Amino acid sequence: MPIPHVLVLGGTTEARRLAAVLADRPGVRVTTSLAGRVTRPGALAGEVRTGGFGGAEGLAAWLREHRVDALVDATHPFAETITANAVRAAAACRTPVVVLRRPGWHPGPGDRWYPVASLPEAAALLPGFGRRVLLTTGRLGLGAFAHLTGLHFVARSVEPPEPPLPPDTRVLLARGPFTVADETAVLRDHRIDVLVTKDSGGAATAAKLTAARDLALPVVVVRRPPLPEGVPVVPDVPGVLERLGLDAP
């Protein structure tokens, strides 16, 4: 009987954990696919491929060629094109698919959150909150703020952001996780008036929300894009194992 082959579309902490668990299972082959946007990804268990597939059709061809038995989309919650392609490719190949998504954030007492559907909507709100903005939305899409000439932006990302950028922008290169003390220092040192973030979920980058609440700062939160209809979604690695029938030790 051939070894079951699981393809994990990765790039998240959860994908890394899943690869490690699957690679440790006797009789399971795991391949993690990375988009290649981060130049120095950490070590991954199992096999690794880097680069795009060429859309849903290219991914479907890869699934057939490499005899993939199950597909797990463990990409970032905002990687909506990749997720859509994964669902289409899996359907074309009749390959079981599951989406691994960490739970999103929810405001609590004292939070001043302003949910929006997109980065352009976030940009439209900013002039009403003050002049100094901390952007923690990643290195892509900052062009949505490029027309805001009257604001000072501090843009934090793991790698240098892609242009265009707002004319008055300071870039902070840093990789989480961050503590509440770290985030409080950033907000205070840069005299931030408003924080802009995406609802990435998870604990690794949630400290900024606590720091903003403690300082009574407004937070513009970009909501996650909707998932394709009918796709099974689980919140953690055990959920994936159960869905794939691999939860037994």
Side-chain angles (χ1 to χ4, degrees):
M1 181 177 177
I3 295 174
H5 185 192
V6 180
L7 174 63
V8 178
L9 305 181
T12 60
T13 302
E14 291 79 14
R16 188 177 303 280
R17 290 175 187 154
L18 178 61
V21 170
L22 292 175
D24 201 40
R25 293 290 175 102
V28 176
R29 176 187 172 195
V30 57
T31 300
T32 299
S33 175
L34 301 175
R37 289 175 178 166
V38 177
T39 56
R40 291 178 294 174
L44 279 161
E47 302 171 38
V48 180
R49 72 170 298 280
T50 303
F53 290 96
E57 293 76 13
L59 176 54
W62 202 95
L63 295 177
R64 296 188 187 100
E65 179 184 353
H66 295 269
R67 299 185 179 182
V68 172
D69 299 290
L71 174 61
V72 181
D73 172 23
T75 56
H76 193 275
F78 284 81
E80 57 183 317
T81 299
I82 297 174
T83 298
N85 287 342
V87 172
R88 286 176 53 202
C93 299
R94 297 186 179 178
T95 301
V97 60
V98 60
V99 174
L100 171 55
R101 285 290 184 274
R102 69 185 79 127
W105 293 319
H106 298 282
D111 283 319
R112 297 175 58 198
W113 285 18
Y114 297 82
V116 294
S118 66
L119 292 176
E121 283 192 25
L125 286 183
L126 292 184
F129 289 122
R131 186 175 177 276
R132 303 180 70 84
V133 183
L134 175 60
L135 288 178
T136 61
T137 55
R139 69 186 185 91
L140 303 175
L142 298 193
F145 305 92
H147 64 289
L148 295 173
T149 57
L151 302 180
H152 171 75
F153 288 88
V154 177
R156 185 172 69 191
S157 61
V158 175
E159 299 199 355
E162 293 190 359
L165 304 179
D168 186 0
T169 299
R170 176 173 179 178
V171 175
L172 291 182
L173 298 182
R175 183 190 297 270
F178 304 103
T179 66
V180 174
D182 294 333
E183 300 292 50
T184 300
V186 168
L187 294 171
R188 282 179 170 159
D189 291 349
H190 293 277
R191 295 178 286 119
I192 297 300
D193 297 310
V194 58
L195 166 66
V196 182
T197 189
K198 291 179 175 179
D199 180 14
S200 301
T205 58
K208 62 192 170 190
L209 302 174
T210 303
R213 179 173 63 242
D214 292 345
L215 295 173
L217 293 179
V219 182
V220 179
V221 182
V222 182
R223 294 188 297 263
R224 297 177 175 188
L227 287 165
E229 229 175 286
V231 64
V233 184
V234 298
D236 51 28
V237 170
V240 174
L241 299 179
E242 180 180 3
R243 188 81 193 183
L244 298 183
L246 298 171
D247 49 335

